[in-house]
Amino acid sequence: MAGRRPDPTSTQGLSQGAAPVAANQSLTLAAMLFAVSMTFIDQTIVSIAAPDIIRELGLSAVGMQWVVNAYLLSLAAFFALGGRLADVLGHKRMMLVGTLTFVIASALCGAVPSGGGAETWLICFRAVQGLGAALMFPAALAVVVEVFPVERRGGALALFFGVAGGLTAIGPLLGGWLTSWTWRAIFWVNVPVAVVAVVLTVLAGIRNTARREPVDWRGAFLVAAGMGLSVLGLQQAAAWGWDSWATWLCIVGGLLVLVVFGLVELRTEHPLIKLRVFADRAFAADNAVLFFAMIAFVPVFFFASVYAQVALDQSPNEAGLYLLVFFAGFAPGSQIGGRMLDRRGARPPMLLGTAVSAVGFALWASKITDLSLGAQWPYIVLAGAGIGLLLTPASTDAVNRSIDASYGEVTGITQTVRNYSASLGLAVLGTVLLNGTVRNVQRTLVDNGVPADTAHQVADGITGSITGHGSGGQSPVTGAGSALLDAVRHDFAEANGPVLYGMAAALAVAFLCALLHPGTRVTATTGAPAGAAARESGKPA
């Protein structure tokens, strides 16, 4: 375009004889791994600190769920936009912008002041963290795809996803160790990691390649509004009540906005999300499996962490070990699922994984009132193994079915589906947990002689503060006899049963979705653009 100033970091405008300096591939991969590691660790690390955050800041139980969910919801709402902005403004530039946004928000989360505005402060900057992650992750992925040649790209991406995904398991252990010092450190730890990522990015000599293309701002607004409203209604149902007009206005209104978003995208020349990719039956089945599986996968860390610290009376460090049992099944399950994908396609590991995880969560739920890890660990491992079996095959197969969409665009779709589902799962199951706890504690209080007309009010108060029993904190029923305290802990454990059964039910639906997969396999086309794939002739896997 005439009059446009050349971008010194872009390849556009270089003279014929000025060959750009190639980026250092090892430094590039290390830089991107340091950047995205923050987003993966953040999915689990905050859950460990939840009781201590509630105790120190005086957050409500619903407020603490928003602290976790604001990040997931913002990540889902802006992921597709982040991928599009990376294409338009340049992958390196948006990776740096996203990293800086994420780390500044992290520092502000750790600096939240005590007082009446603490809950709003923390929720808002958690949402900004999610925005930063949404800008950073697709750009970082695109940088890896761009820097590595086709013949080395597969190995680089395998390492990128393998290491980054494995870091999710670090969250519980790191969170427990940092929380023993101060819960604020779970946010501050992102600062040195971000500094390393930025320095390595600069040293790697990565070029910024921008394109002059339109951005679908209308679609970005509609998808963010639709997701936000629907999750708001589902999560606030615990506080507003299911008979509240505000609850249903948000839920129904949000879903209608998402429908409008779909209709608008189908009629937009340059849509934010190319919905026609869902015409591929295998792609649709993959995303349906991911949607229902993620209802369990991310929320389970929050619920299990609070359960371990409240019902089992564990410290944050011990709760981290409790969550690590899940990864003892998840890690080998992921390896087996990847091998099955290579040999037989995505359908067999998805079917096996959804079945195994559904059984594992159901059996875990049946033992949840046995307040002992010894009684639960085989089923926790089983649940983790099932999730591990299905997650990589479903995600990889979905990306490989990209048709004419780019690797980044299809990754944006799958990540949006995954994070929105996790946010919905946390909202719905969180409401189930709170209502169940109030009901159970109310029954216990009545049985212990509390008048029925005051039992519900007292049960509400106990439920609102029950997760504040962290290390060094006071019991939520301080002054009560040990028998009543044990009964309240049992009530909370019992309320977690329907949560785990709900996760098992979601995975059972995921099994039905996996049955709809046609069983065709995907092989990479030599010399194809990143993310493109050629389907085989339809042979069942």
Side-chain angles (χ1 to χ4, degrees), residues 37-346:
S37 67
M38 298 184 295
T39 71
F40 280 88
I41 292 175
D42 225 63
Q43 291 183 4
T44 53
I45 195 172
V46 176
S47 298
I48 288 293
D52 280 19
I53 295 174
I54 292 174
R55 175 174 55 82
E56 182 174 325
L57 298 182
L59 271 62
S60 65
V62 173
M64 187 61 227
Q65 287 180 21
W66 269 118
V67 170
V68 176
N69 216 354
Y71 174 82
L72 294 172
L73 180 57
S74 180
L75 183 58
F78 296 110
F79 199 97
L81 177 62
R84 188 62 179 154
L85 289 176
D87 287 340
V88 173
L89 300 178
H91 303 145
K92 175 186 174 181
R93 179 179 295 149
M94 290 312 300
M95 176 267 167
L96 291 173
V97 169
T99 299
L100 292 174
T101 301
F102 186 93
V103 74
I104 291 171
S106 296
L108 290 171
C109 284
V112 56
S114 300
E119 185 169 295
T120 301
W121 175 295
L122 199 52
I123 291 171
C124 287
F125 285 112
R126 282 286 287 166
V128 177
Q129 265 192 308
L131 171 62
L135 297 176
M136 175 216 304
F137 188 91
L141 176 62
V143 166
V144 175
V145 171
E146 183 179 10
V147 167
F148 282 83
V150 173
E151 62 271 15
R152 295 194 59 198
R153 190 174 295 149
L157 288 175
L159 185 61
F160 179 86
F161 284 114
V163 173
L167 289 171
T168 308
I170 301 298
L173 293 177
L174 184 61
W177 179 71
L178 291 173
T179 302
S180 64
W181 171 42
T182 171
W183 62 263
R184 296 175 185 272
I186 66 170
F187 297 111
W188 291 337
V189 72
N190 290 324
V191 175
V193 177
V195 170
V196 173
V198 171
V199 170
L200 289 176
T201 300
V202 173
L203 293 177
I206 304 166
R207 300 188 305 273
N208 190 69
T209 52
R211 301 201 303 256
R212 296 286 289 183
E213 295 179 353
V215 176
D216 180 18
W217 294 106
R218 180 176 57 178
F221 171 78
L222 288 173
V223 72
M227 289 182 177
L229 280 173
S230 57
V231 172
L232 174 64
L234 289 167
Q235 187 147 308
Q236 289 299 118
W240 295 344
W242 286 105
D243 57 349
S244 167
W245 63 268
T247 298
W248 290 106
L249 179 64
C250 287
I251 295 173
V252 176
L255 294 177
L256 288 176
V257 171
L258 289 176
V259 171
V260 172
F261 165 74
L263 295 175
V264 168
E265 292 299 277
L266 291 173
R267 292 169 171 79
T268 300
E269 183 179 358
H270 298 284
L272 186 69
I273 296 177
K274 295 179 180 178
L275 296 178
R276 65 179 179 275
V277 73
F278 283 97
D280 186 302
R281 180 179 164 189
F283 180 84
D286 290 332
N287 277 276
V289 169
L290 287 171
F291 180 88
F292 288 103
M294 293 303 289
I295 288 176
F297 180 53
V298 174
V300 72
F301 302 123
F302 174 76
F303 294 114
S305 171
V306 177
Y307 166 83
Q309 294 180 67
V310 174
L312 303 185
D313 198 27
Q314 293 183 341
S315 68
N317 275 322
E318 292 168 331
L321 293 174
Y322 180 83
L323 291 182
L324 199 61
V325 175
F326 183 90
F327 287 101
F330 180 83
S334 296
Q335 294 299 313
I336 296 171
R339 294 191 183 100
M340 291 180 68
L341 172 68
D342 292 338
R343 292 196 304 266
R344 304 181 59 193

Side-chain angles (χ1 to χ4, degrees), residues 397-478:
D397 191 64
V399 170
N400 286 340
R401 307 272 174 176
S402 60
I403 309 177
D404 62 329
S406 74
Y407 188 89
E409 286 171 327
V410 176
T411 300
I413 294 174
T414 57
Q415 289 295 325
T416 298
V417 167
R418 288 175 57 161
N419 289 299
Y420 180 51
S421 169
S423 189
L424 285 176
L426 187 61
V428 174
L429 297 175
T431 300
V432 170
L433 177 63
L434 291 177
N435 288 338
T437 302
V438 170
R439 184 171 57 250
N440 294 345
V441 173
Q442 181 180 355
R443 179 192 60 208
T444 293
L445 292 174
V446 170
D447 291 343
N448 280 269
V450 177
D453 57 349
T454 60
H456 182 78
Q457 181 180 356
V458 175
D460 268 335
I462 291 176
T463 300
S465 63
I466 194 170
T467 51
H469 181 52
S471 59
Q474 296 297 315
S475 165
V477 284
T478 299

